[in-house]
Amino acid sequence: MSQLINFNNFTVDNGAVRDLNELLFTSVFKDPALESIIDLTTNAENGKHIGYVDNIGDVGTKSSGCKPTYSKATINGFEKVWALGEWNIPIEFCYKDLSNTLAKYGMKPGTERGDLQNTPYWDKLVIPLLQKAINEMFWRLIWFGDTDAKNVASSGNIKAGVDTALFTPCDGLWKRLNAIIAANSDQKTEIAANAAESKAEQKSKIREKGVAIGIVDNMLVDADGRIFDKDHALFMTNSLFKALRSDFYERSKYQLTTEKLMEGVMLSEYDGQTVIVLDIWDRMIKKYEDNGTKYNLPHRALLAPIDNLMVGTSDDNMFSQLDINFDHKERQNYIYAAGDLGTMIGEDELVQVAL
């Protein structure tokens, strides 16, 4: 059985490190809280229809004088349906897998040796790192989930060697946005740099003078005006924002100011619009959507009302709790968590996507 934490890179016998509390965490990316940039619906039901009332249709025709011709009022609307997919996190491990590793210095003595709970290994490493991985799981599924995910060798976008089961519990927001712009090309703003034939060219072309500022200006011009009537934001990858900031300075000699909204999220403003820079998009594209030669759409932006980006779960919260158990008979430690998740774009017209 593989170790939950790989200790193979740590020296055990020369006394260099004998206490897990002495371990230092490498620099890690701190992921932002998802609830701040999506509309979370708890206690959602799989298959539940959500109805929207659109309009009553056009009214006002030329008068015919007396005895006008009456027509029936038609109220237009549409439905969306929650499609919740199940995810789970099953992990098991045995103390014997750790007995010749650095973790042995934190084990309990004697009969209790097999129970790793309430040890430095458990409290200082396993639980904090697992919590981070769970948070990243939600980011991955909500934005990059795809029930039909395939590796690049099978004409998909997922990097070779990456397990596609990491993406298949539900369809994420990017898949839904791609379906919207496939049906209505006016809602797509082209990013030519994405089509470059290498990673180096993708990086250089987005930084060419005027490119980034042209992309963002086109988004703002082409977007449905109703977006601006709501609490909206312009979300973008860090790669696009850096190019936009450079363009803006070149044109105005003023620097776009930034503010750390939270760990992993930068807040800025362009042309009166709130800009939310999500470096986690860049990181996941590079980690998961790399065919070896180029990245899949490394520069992205989305203009939308925040409450139009909907995420649902049948649970009371995005994540409830870990089920942690030590089997005294089998001397095995178990961690289990499960839930369900689904995404929805409320009104298809109220998004403008740059890819």
Side-chain angles (χ1 to χ4, degrees):
M1 183 185 301
S2 61
Q3 301 169 15
L4 182 60
I5 295 176
N6 186 353
F7 286 99
N8 294 332
N9 293 327
F10 297 103
T11 301
V12 178
D13 297 323
N14 70 354
V17 178
R18 297 183 61 88
D19 186 345
L20 288 175
N21 291 308
E22 296 177 22
L23 287 177
L24 301 177
F25 284 94
T26 58
S27 296
V28 295
F29 296 108
K30 295 184 177 180
D31 299 325
L34 266 166
E35 294 89 336
S36 64
I37 63 168
I38 50 92
D39 185 69
L40 178 64
T41 299
T42 57
N43 300 307
E45 297 179 33
N46 186 44
K48 175 73 173 179
H49 290 244
I50 307 295
Y52 287 84
V53 176
D54 192 357
N55 58 66
I56 201 171
D58 296 328
V59 297
T61 58
K62 183 178 179 180
S63 174
S64 59
C66 297
K67 296 183 178 181
T69 300
Y70 286 86
S71 60
K72 294 183 180 296
T74 302
I75 298 178
N76 299 312
F78 59 93
E79 287 185 331
K80 292 292 184 77
V81 182
W82 280 118
L84 305 180
E86 296 184 355
W87 57 266
N88 76 148
I89 303 170
I91 303 173
E92 65 173 5
F93 48 102
C94 174
Y95 80 97
K96 288 294 290 183
D97 299 319
L98 306 170
S99 58
N100 293 318
T101 73
L102 180 62
K104 70 179 183 180
Y105 297 117
M107 288 183 178
K108 298 173 183 176
T111 303
E112 294 184 309
R113 182 178 298 274
D115 184 359
L116 298 174
Q117 296 181 51
N118 301 315
T119 65
Y121 168 74
W122 189 271
D123 298 335
K124 301 292 185 179
L125 297 179
V126 174
I127 297 304
L129 290 175
L130 183 57
Q131 288 172 336
K132 181 182 184 302
I134 291 171
N135 190 46
E136 183 171 304
M137 175 196 74
F138 284 122
W139 274 96
R140 185 181 66 246
L141 292 178
I142 288 171
W143 286 102
F144 295 87
D146 185 351
T147 54
D148 193 38
K150 296 181 178 64
N151 292 109
V152 293
S154 302
S155 302
N157 295 319
I158 304 302
K159 182 178 179 179
V162 174
D163 187 357
T164 56
L166 292 170
F167 302 87
T168 53
C170 68
D171 287 328
L173 291 171
W174 278 120
K175 184 173 181 179
R176 300 194 184 282
L177 291 166
N178 273 295
I180 291 171
I181 60 178
N184 183 6
S185 60
D186 290 340
Q187 290 179 254
K188 179 181 179 181
T189 301
E190 199 75 30
I191 300 182
N194 281 333
E197 293 302 317
S198 69
K199 297 174 186 177
E201 286 188 352
Q202 287 177 320
K203 181 178 179 180
S204 63
K205 287 185 177 298
I206 197 65
R207 295 181 175 183
E208 290 178 357
K209 184 177 180 179
V211 169
I213 208 166
I215 291 167
V216 176
D217 285 347
N218 285 338
M219 288 187 74
L220 297 176
V221 170
D222 295 339
D224 189 308
R226 291 172 294 175
I227 294 175
F228 304 103
D229 295 332
K230 295 175 173 283
D231 181 16
H232 66 282
L234 181 58
F235 306 90
M236 66 178 64
T237 57
N238 195 28
S239 64
L240 180 57
F241 177 73
K242 286 180 176 178
L244 174 66
R245 185 170 58 183
S246 178
D247 267 354
F248 185 78
Y249 182 78
E250 182 71 23
R251 177 177 294 187
S252 67
K253 301 307 176 187
Y254 289 97
Q255 187 69 268
L256 289 177
T257 59
T258 58
E259 173 188 347
K260 186 168 76 172
L261 185 61
M262 64 190 70
E263 292 292 347
V265 176
M266 295 299 295
L267 187 67
S268 188
E269 183 177 301
Y270 173 78
D271 195 20
Q273 307 300 316
T274 297
V275 176
I276 298 178
V277 186
L278 296 169
D279 184 60
I280 193 168
W281 285 357
D282 302 69
R283 287 158 24 205
M284 290 197 166
I285 292 167
K286 292 176 180 178
K287 183 177 181 179
Y288 299 122
E289 299 192 357
D290 177 0
N291 70 6
T293 302
K294 57 187 291 188
Y295 298 118
N296 177 49
L297 306 172
H299 318 299
R300 308 185 188 191
L302 167 65
L303 177 65
I306 293 175
D307 64 6
N308 206 38
L309 308 175
M310 302 172 67
V311 175
T313 176
S314 65
D315 298 325
D316 293 333
N317 297 289
M318 181 80 79
F319 176 74
S320 53
Q321 63 182 4
L322 293 172
D323 183 3
I324 299 172
N325 178 50
F326 174 65
D327 188 313
H328 290 270
K329 179 180 179 181
E330 301 295 333
R331 315 311 291 174
Q332 287 279 103
N333 295 268
Y334 296 95
I335 296 178
Y336 186 79
D340 57 25
L341 201 64
T343 66
M344 184 187 298
I345 302 296
E347 297 182 64
D348 288 358
E349 295 82 6
L350 301 190
V351 296
Q352 188 69 28
V353 183
L355 290 174

